[in-house]
Amino acid sequence: MFDFLSTLDRKLLRDLWRIKGQAAAIIFVIAAGISLFVMSHGMMVSLDETMRAYYERYRFADMYAPAKRAPDHLIEQLRALPGVNDVEGRISGGGLVALPDVSAPISARVLSFDPEARSPINNVHLSSGRMMSPTRSDEILLLKSFADAQGLGPGDPLSITMNGVRHEFMIAGLVLSPEFIYALPPGDFVPDPGRFAAIWANKETMEAAYDLDGAFNEAILTFAPGANEQFLIDELDRLLAPYGAVGAYARADQISNKFLVEELAQLKTMGRVMPPIFLAVSIFLLNVVITRLVQTEREQIGLIKAFGYSNGDVGWHYLKFVMAIALGGALVGWAGGFWLGRMIGEIYQAYFHFPFLVFVADFSTLGLVLAISAFAAAAGAWFAVRSAINLTPAVAMRPPAPPKFKSGDGFFRAVSRLLDQPSRMILRRLARQPLRAILTTFGIGAAMGLSVMMRFNVNATDYMLDVSFNVIDRSDVLVTFVEPLSDKTILELQGMEGVTLVEAFRSTPVMFRHEREQYLGAITGLPDNPTLNRAVDSNLQDVEVSGDGIVLSEKLAEILGVSVGDVLTVEVREGRRPTLEIPITGLVESLIGTPAYMDMSALNRRLKEPNRVSGAYMKIDWTRRDAVYDRIKAIPLVAGVSLRREAYENFDKMIEEGPGVFRHIMTVFSIVIAAGVVYNSARIAYIERQHDLASLRVLGFTKIETGYVLLGELALLTILALPIGSALGYLIWSYIATAMSTELYQIPTIYKENGLGFAAIIVFLATAVASAFVQNDVSKIEMATALKTRD
């Protein structure tokens, strides 16, 4: 059948078929690493290319410059700034959407839009329906994700409260926008499609609703290549300062873009850390398999060389053996990575609301994974292939010299009275081949380490949710106002039926500066002894926020390079826009965002705006929530309402559908590694000791007792691997948690015993399955044939 193949190639096929189980195990281990690489690399490229194309096609703004009220004629002056390509002035306002079947307030952001503009900045992608008519003030465009979540479509009516006045509109079309890839309700860090609506209306409608006739309250700009970003921010702030500028910021600080960029960074981290672990294990497995093959084929190697084959022919033969396995792993991994990438791509497209997202895993990626697999194969086989090349025919055709076993004799004499004979056989073999035992233990430990790491990831997520929503923020409802209001507004909230506790806060946008570092953020003013929204330290104990000092989150202090006792320069971006020098009096734990806290009275005093509040945290009687919601929706200057219980559930859902998918994939892959290492180790031990096992059967050992001699060694190595796997999991998770922490989310390095127990169970199950297959081989030993085999 294979007459067209050379003699060595036919031998290669026979050898591969003979160890098909071991080869398959190694192929799947290699495939796991390659799949992760293809998925993460392809997803990263796909998201990056999609983001770039989407931003470019729909002219996503490079900079935003909010203000209170700037005249339209200022646009030409802004357009004349060096490096500016185009400028548009628009009106942006908050609002509340009222739906007949939804009692909870729904936050909205309403933007002016010119449907007749040929190529507007921050253009929208029409998904269904039509563009709104420029002559109809009652038509709007609605963000598709919100419409889908609420069952709305073109032609449906929609009631929106803007600036305290209720307006009735008709939905002309559903759209997607690069500005709302990651659509966040005010006060939330988690997208909730059904609780946040982005709406586009004619400018005349917006001018009337927000009393901005002939004016705008936000400039959006695009740059020419090479534009000086910081210069433009400074110039925009200067030109818009007389009109209540809040502070210009670049695309990098636009919240939707920021989340997307950090998602790309996390994918890059995943692709950098995980595949090398799998490939390192596959190198180990290939080394063990090819070394054993060369040892058992010494006589064949001698005969091959005696028949005239060169050292190069022999070396190339065994190198092709491992390359065939590596090629199989690469192809399976590429196909698996492509499938996983398509699956993850569908999740990302629904999650980030792209109009298009095509997973990219082209043939250049296939070439790359083939090269990676070839390198892994060559690295794993190098020493064994070199030993095959160096064997001379005379030496190869003689049996290898028996090894000398002396180092463990004293030890075994000491413990011989404590163990039965099969157990002494197990320990003696481990002591006589310590390197193989150590490598096998580390291979099993690596598999356990991945499981430990993924379980620690689950623990960290649970900790983030608990601390953020049960320890720091213990409210039910967060209400934010369009602008700071008199603290008498709090009395109105406190008087609502069903409200049990109200806690005001003051928030102001600022630019933090320290030496060369700067950060655009906000200061939150807290009341005395807060209970609903607290500042806590790393031990989750209350941090006192009092006096004229500022308390920073540890992440913000790290970004600015400051510590307690330093003085921070704070440029306020609203009101009188003062520049303040504030001492740092403490650091707090924060797992979401980069908050900074001050005493609310001290902050208002510094701003020279006494008795002002930006919103309130509320505790309510959950059975009367509908009445509370109705009263909140009637307050004219409410910018947004966040429901903390829903925020918690959305955050949990986001983690489960995003990182949670990776956790499940990694758990499956860790099982593959464990099974691959254990099965290969057991099979090699079986092949090496087939003669001994047959002798035991002849001497009267039962199949179970014979299997115990072989598999007891494997069980002991698995037990020894547990502390190694625990340590590796600890180290891997510590690195990943640090590498994947961002300004938006700080991943805690939480270590719990249940993570170790879960991983140990996975390893033991993999060992049990692999042992069952090998025990089946032990039961089928042909004693006569095995005893004739030459060692």
Side-chain angles (χ1 to χ4, degrees):
M1 179 178 179
F2 298 106
D3 293 339
F4 62 93
L5 297 175
S6 67
T7 301
L8 289 183
D9 288 339
R10 289 198 295 272
K11 176 183 179 300
L12 172 64
L13 293 177
R14 287 196 301 270
D15 288 341
L16 285 172
W17 180 253
R18 180 163 50 88
I19 65 162
K20 54 185 177 295
Q22 293 169 257
I26 300 172
I27 284 173
F28 281 116
V29 172
I30 296 175
I34 294 298
S35 295
L36 278 179
F37 174 80
V38 171
M39 178 188 68
S40 58
H41 179 267
M43 202 67 248
M44 184 175 64
V45 171
S46 300
L47 280 175
D48 188 60
E49 288 296 316
T50 299
M51 181 177 69
R52 183 193 56 78
Y54 192 23
Y55 285 1
E56 182 179 330
R57 187 177 303 177
Y58 293 91
R59 301 190 69 206
F60 187 37
D62 294 308
M63 187 165 288
Y64 297 79
K68 289 291 184 182
R69 181 189 181 95
D72 286 341
H73 64 75
L74 191 64
I75 292 297
E76 292 305 318
Q77 195 172 349
L78 300 181
R79 186 176 284 115
L81 291 173
V84 172
N85 255 349
D86 197 7
V87 182
E88 289 182 12
R90 69 179 184 180
I91 298 173
S92 172
L96 295 177
V97 173
L99 294 177
D101 300 327
V102 180
S103 61
I106 297 173
S107 301
R109 187 175 177 200
V110 192
L111 301 167
S112 63
F113 184 77
D114 183 1
E116 292 186 313
R118 294 188 59 184
S119 183
I121 300 174
N122 282 1
N123 199 1
V124 296
H125 169 80
L126 186 64
S127 177
S128 62
R130 59 173 175 81
M131 279 291 175
M132 58 192 180
S133 170
T135 60
R136 300 229 6 214
S137 61
D138 63 338
E139 289 188 344
I140 58 169
L141 301 175
L142 183 63
L143 188 65
K144 182 178 184 297
S145 57
F146 173 77
D148 291 344
Q150 296 293 356
L152 298 172
D156 289 340
L158 194 66
S159 297
I160 309 169
T161 300
M162 298 186 294
N163 205 22
V165 179
R166 187 160 178 164
H167 300 261
E168 301 295 332
F169 293 100
M170 191 269 288
I171 302 170
L174 305 182
V175 298
L176 298 172
S177 167
E179 194 173 357
F180 297 100
I181 292 174
Y182 197 95
L184 285 174
D188 277 350
F189 280 87
V190 184
D192 186 351
R195 297 262 310 115
F196 176 73
I199 298 163
W200 291 261
N202 287 309
K203 189 174 183 184
E204 292 76 13
T205 303
M206 295 292 289
E207 287 178 339
Y210 292 96
D211 193 23
L212 287 170
D213 187 27
F216 64 91
N217 64 6
E218 186 175 40
I220 51 178
L221 303 84
T222 58
F223 296 162
N228 188 325
E229 188 175 280
Q230 188 57 52
F231 167 78
L232 287 172
I233 289 176
D234 294 339
E235 286 297 295
L236 286 168
D237 287 346
R238 181 182 64 82
L239 292 172
L240 291 171
Y243 308 103
V246 178
Y249 58 93
R251 178 193 290 177
D253 291 313
Q254 200 269 344
I255 192 67
S256 173
N257 175 75
K258 199 167 191 174
F259 272 94
L260 186 56
V261 169
E262 293 195 352
E263 184 69 27
L264 284 170
Q266 291 184 344
L267 275 174
K268 189 178 294 185
T269 299
M270 183 72 69
R272 186 174 65 246
V273 175
M274 292 298 125
I277 296 175
F278 287 89
L279 293 177
V281 175
S282 64
I283 288 173
F284 157 71
L285 293 178
L286 284 168
N287 177 264
V288 172
V289 169
I290 193 64
T291 299
R292 173 56 189 162
L293 188 66
V294 169
Q295 289 173 350
T296 57
E297 293 189 349
R298 285 172 57 91
E299 184 176 348
Q300 295 181 35
I301 293 172
L303 287 172
I304 289 171
K305 290 187 175 182
F307 276 101
Y309 287 94
S310 66
N311 288 339
D313 293 333
V314 173
W316 178 235
H317 166 71
Y318 286 104
L319 192 59
K320 283 192 293 184
F321 179 89
V322 294
M323 288 296 179
I325 296 176
L327 177 63
L331 293 176
V332 173
W334 185 80
F338 186 80
W339 178 78
L340 287 174
R342 292 288 296 271
M343 180 185 71
I344 298 295
E346 291 176 1
I347 294 174
Y348 274 129
Q349 185 168 8
Y351 184 68
F352 285 113
H353 311 298
F354 287 114
F356 51 86
L357 176 60
V358 179
F359 176 75
V360 177
D362 52 23
F363 286 103
S364 63
T365 306
L366 178 59
L368 182 60
V369 300
L370 289 175
I372 293 172
S373 300
F375 171 78
W382 169 247
F383 292 105
V385 171
R386 188 176 64 175
S387 66
I389 292 173
N390 292 335
L391 278 174
T392 61
V395 172
M397 296 180 70
R398 293 198 305 265
K404 297 179 181 180
F405 302 126
K406 293 183 179 180
S407 59
D409 290 348
F411 169 77
F412 283 110
R413 280 197 299 269
V415 301
S416 60
R417 296 180 180 180
L418 303 176
L419 302 173
D420 58 15
Q421 183 62 36
S423 298
R424 290 201 297 273
M425 294 170 64
I426 292 171
L427 289 180
R428 186 179 296 116
R429 178 174 170 82
L430 292 177
R432 290 175 174 177
Q433 294 182 323
L435 180 59
R436 180 172 299 176
I438 290 171
L439 291 176
T440 302
T441 302
F442 270 93
I444 299 172
M448 180 179 173
L450 289 176
S451 298
V452 169
M453 181 269 293
M454 296 315 301
R455 196 62 194 176
F456 283 167
N457 180 286
V458 174
N459 292 336
T461 301
D462 293 342
Y463 180 82
M464 286 178 66
L465 284 168
D466 182 56
V467 170
S468 299
F469 291 95
N470 295 324
V471 176
I472 296 176
D473 183 353
R474 298 187 291 188
S475 65
D476 294 323
V477 179
L478 168 63
V479 177
T480 55
F481 303 137
V482 174
E483 58 186 18
L485 302 178
S486 168
D487 57 5
K488 293 180 180 179
T489 310
I490 301 302
L491 298 177
E492 183 179 350
L493 296 176
Q494 289 174 334
M496 291 181 180
E497 181 184 358
V499 174
T500 58
L501 182 62
V502 177
E503 191 172 279
F505 69 92
R506 174 69 196 271
S507 180
T508 184
V510 300
M511 174 66 77
F512 296 105
R513 296 189 189 275
H514 180 259
E515 296 178 351
R516 295 185 178 182
E517 303 299 331
Q518 63 179 33
Y519 185 81
L520 184 64
I523 298 177
T524 300
L526 299 180
D528 294 335
N529 302 315
T531 58
L532 296 185
N533 183 45
R534 306 182 301 153
V536 299
D537 60 19
S538 57
N539 296 318
L540 304 184
Q541 299 299 311
D542 286 328
V543 173
E544 184 179 1
V545 180
S546 60
D548 287 338
I550 190 170
V551 176
L552 303 181
S553 64
E554 293 176 351
K555 184 64 177 180
L556 181 54
E558 177 189 331
I559 293 170
L560 294 171
V562 296
S563 58
V564 175
D566 291 338
V567 176
L568 202 58
T569 300
V570 177
E571 298 175 1
V572 179
R573 296 301 184 97
E574 69 175 2
R576 294 179 176 84
R577 301 172 61 89
T579 297
L580 310 174
E581 299 292 328
I582 307 178
I584 301 170
T585 57
L587 300 179
V588 297
E589 174 88 347
S590 177
L591 302 176
I592 300 179
T594 50
Y597 301 105
M598 283 185 69
D599 177 76
M600 186 165 64
S601 298
L603 177 59
N604 280 331
R605 186 169 58 252
R606 287 265 195 162
L607 298 175
K608 296 182 180 180
E609 296 178 353
N611 305 319
R612 293 284 170 175
V613 297
S614 302
Y617 292 89
M618 303 170 61
K619 201 76 177 174
I620 65 173
D621 180 350
W622 204 248
T623 62
R624 301 181 180 179
R625 61 185 181 277
D626 290 347
V628 175
Y629 295 158
D630 290 339
R631 292 289 302 276
I632 291 175
K633 286 187 284 188
I635 299 176
L637 295 179
V638 170
V641 180
S642 174
L643 308 181
R644 312 320 276 168
R645 179 178 295 186
E646 292 191 9
Y648 178 97
E649 294 172 352
N650 287 327
F651 193 25
D652 189 37
K653 180 181 178 182
M654 179 193 74
I655 294 296
E656 185 61 28
E657 292 182 353
V661 175
F662 286 101
R663 287 204 299 259
H664 299 321
I665 293 172
M666 291 301 302
T667 299
V668 171
F669 284 176
S670 66
I671 295 173
V672 169
I673 282 191
V677 173
V678 172
Y679 179 74
N680 265 279
S681 300
R683 280 290 302 172
I684 289 171
Y686 168 74
I687 293 171
E688 289 178 338
R689 305 181 66 183
Q690 195 169 2
H691 183 278
D692 296 337
L693 296 174
S695 300
L696 292 176
R697 295 281 289 116
V698 171
L699 292 173
F701 278 64
T702 65
K703 295 178 181 179
I704 299 298
E705 291 171 334
T706 306
Y708 170 73
V709 172
L710 176 65
L711 299 177
E713 173 187 331
L714 193 60
L716 181 58
L717 292 178
T718 301
I719 293 172
L720 294 174
L722 297 183
I724 295 174
S726 301
L728 287 175
Y730 174 92
L731 293 174
I732 295 171
W733 173 241
S734 296
Y735 173 79
I736 288 180
T738 301
M740 298 185 72
S741 290
T742 66
E743 296 175 16
L744 300 174
Y745 298 114
Q746 292 84 58
I747 301 175
T749 50
I750 299 298
Y751 310 103
K752 290 187 177 180
E753 293 77 6
N754 64 355
L756 304 179
F758 176 81
I761 290 172
I762 286 181
V763 171
F764 279 126
L765 286 176
T767 302
V769 172
S771 299
F773 281 106
V774 176
Q775 177 63 41
N776 185 57
D777 293 333
V778 173
S779 301
K780 295 179 179 179
I781 288 179
E782 294 287 342
M783 288 181 283
T785 303
L787 290 172
K788 292 178 182 178
T789 303
R790 178 183 177 182
D791 285 336

